[in-house]
Amino acid sequence: MFGYFSDNGSQILDGLLFGLGVLAVYLGAVFTGALIRSLGGAGSAGLTMAGRYMQGWFDYLRGDDRNTINVTLNMIVDNHLKFDTLVADRRIWYVWPNAYRMQMIRRAARRTTIDNPVVLFPEKPREPTSVLGRIRRRWRERVHDMVASATVVENGKSQRVRLIQEDDYKATYGPLISLVSEKCNNDNAIDLALGRPMEEYRFVIALTFEKLHNRRARHLRAMVIREEALRNLPTECPRVDFAEHKTRFRTLQAIARQYAASPDCFGIVKVWRPKLSSVSMPSIDRTMRFEPDRAAE
């Protein structure tokens, strides 16, 4: 027996090592399968939550959140800068469901500066002068014709035409105008439709992304201000409640400069309020007397 083991010990050891290797491979496959099943059982909800957590941590460290937007009303009363929230913080995909447009707004926010925090879209590129540029533009136009065209019938003839692309500023400010109108205009718009005397006021909506020097969180903000007040901003900063609010006034000045140069790059919301002469207070019956004994207990 001992002679047999001494003569065949190496073969026996090789067999044991081979068996252990097969067992390790089997256990590894079982563990991998269990891990894949557990991840599959967790579903996409867990992965989405982890992704949002990491994105939130990253935004927290940078003080930057281009995924949030709110709408604020800005005013200067008695040389005092005041503002209030019209629409609380919302995720931008609830305001602009189109993922491509949402990314356009994010890219435009990255291009803002401290001196000009207004979100502006790049102008259309000029006609290319090089041969390669003209070829690329021609192929891009062909792809555009294939994707964004439809068949219409005019004068009894069927023809294929390109659909008109929506203006970037109108598509961006349209949902913001709807949010502000929903909060401020419903009842008064009905009164206006019924023929009641109303005063009309125009308010400018400007989408901004303020670049601050300190570590305050930055996010998209739609700033609303009356058009008349925007055109007549004071040259000096009015009184503010906190020193960091001076940044808001500099942003209003940048909005005023851009609005004077390119008013089509902003949104306009109209607000109606009853005329003061048409508002009547209920008359008071002077014959009524208060009797404590007959007061309700």
Side-chain angles (χ1 to χ4, degrees):
M1 177 67 69
F2 290 103
Y4 174 79
F5 280 110
S6 61
D7 295 336
N8 301 285
S10 61
Q11 297 180 1
I12 296 174
L13 182 60
D14 292 341
L16 290 175
L17 293 177
F18 177 77
L20 290 175
V22 172
L23 179 61
V25 172
Y26 174 76
L27 293 177
V30 171
F31 176 76
T32 303
L35 180 62
I36 293 175
R37 285 194 298 270
S38 62
L39 291 176
S44 60
L47 298 177
T48 302
M49 182 178 297
R52 289 185 177 180
Y53 181 84
M54 293 301 297
Q55 181 66 35
W57 174 77
F58 183 71
D59 292 337
Y60 167 76
L61 292 182
R62 297 185 58 190
D64 184 353
D65 189 4
R66 284 183 292 269
N67 294 325
T68 302
I69 183 174
N70 62 6
V71 182
T72 60
L73 176 64
N74 302 264
M75 67 204 88
I76 298 177
V77 180
D78 297 331
N79 198 33
H80 192 177
L81 178 61
K82 298 177 181 293
F83 43 84
D84 193 12
T85 300
L86 293 180
V87 180
D89 290 352
R90 297 195 180 187
R91 308 307 274 177
I92 63 174
W93 49 77
Y94 291 118
V95 181
W96 298 285
N98 189 310
Y100 183 78
R101 187 168 304 283
M102 183 173 58
Q103 191 61 28
M104 286 178 55
I105 295 173
R106 286 173 174 168
R107 289 196 298 266
R110 286 196 295 266
R111 288 191 295 268
T112 57
T113 62
I114 296 176
D115 297 329
N116 186 16
V118 181
V119 174
L120 299 173
F121 298 105
E123 298 179 357
K124 293 184 178 180
R126 298 179 179 178
E127 292 291 336
T129 57
S130 62
V131 177
L132 181 60
R134 287 195 294 267
I135 293 176
R136 291 176 55 186
R137 184 179 181 85
R138 188 178 299 113
W139 278 103
R140 186 164 56 248
E141 293 293 332
R142 288 187 178 182
V143 173
H144 194 178
D145 289 337
M146 293 174 58
V147 176
S149 59
T151 302
V152 298
V153 179
E154 293 182 355
N155 299 325
K157 295 182 179 180
S158 177
Q159 56 181 341
R160 195 164 185 83
V161 298
R162 178 185 291 189
L163 300 176
I164 299 177
Q165 185 177 357
E166 189 176 10
D167 181 72
D168 291 333
Y169 291 100
K170 291 183 178 180
T172 299
Y173 283 103
L176 296 176
I177 294 173
S178 299
L179 286 176
V180 176
S181 298
E182 182 183 10
K183 292 289 184 180
C184 306
N185 265 353
N186 286 342
D187 294 339
N188 293 319
I190 296 298
D191 293 339
L192 179 66
L194 294 176
R196 296 177 181 175
M198 309 289 286
E199 291 282 357
E200 181 178 286
Y201 304 94
R202 289 167 55 91
F203 285 79
V204 179
I205 303 179
L207 185 61
T208 63
F209 186 74
E210 293 174 337
K211 298 276 188 177
L212 305 177
H213 294 284
N214 54 16
R215 197 178 172 274
R216 258 179 80 194
R218 301 186 299 269
H219 60 82
L220 289 166
R221 178 181 288 112
M223 298 178 62
V224 181
I225 184 172
R226 188 179 175 186
E227 185 181 35
E228 181 180 353
L230 184 64
R231 295 185 183 275
N232 298 280
L233 281 179
T235 56
E236 299 294 333
C237 180
R239 291 184 296 110
V240 294
D241 295 329
F242 301 97
E244 56 265 23
H245 291 171
K246 294 181 180 179
T247 305
R248 184 70 60 89
F249 182 72
R250 291 196 297 268
T251 302
L252 290 175
Q253 288 179 320
I255 294 172
R257 291 192 298 268
Q258 291 290 334
Y259 185 72
S262 304
D264 295 335
C265 298
F266 297 85
I268 296 293
V269 59
K270 297 179 180 180
V271 178
W272 296 283
R273 288 294 181 265
K275 290 184 178 180
L276 295 178
S277 59
S278 64
V279 179
S280 58
M281 298 297 295
S283 58
I284 300 176
D285 188 0
R286 300 294 182 181
T287 62
M288 296 179 62
R289 295 291 185 269
F290 176 70
E291 299 180 4
D293 297 337
R294 300 181 59 182
E297 297 182 359

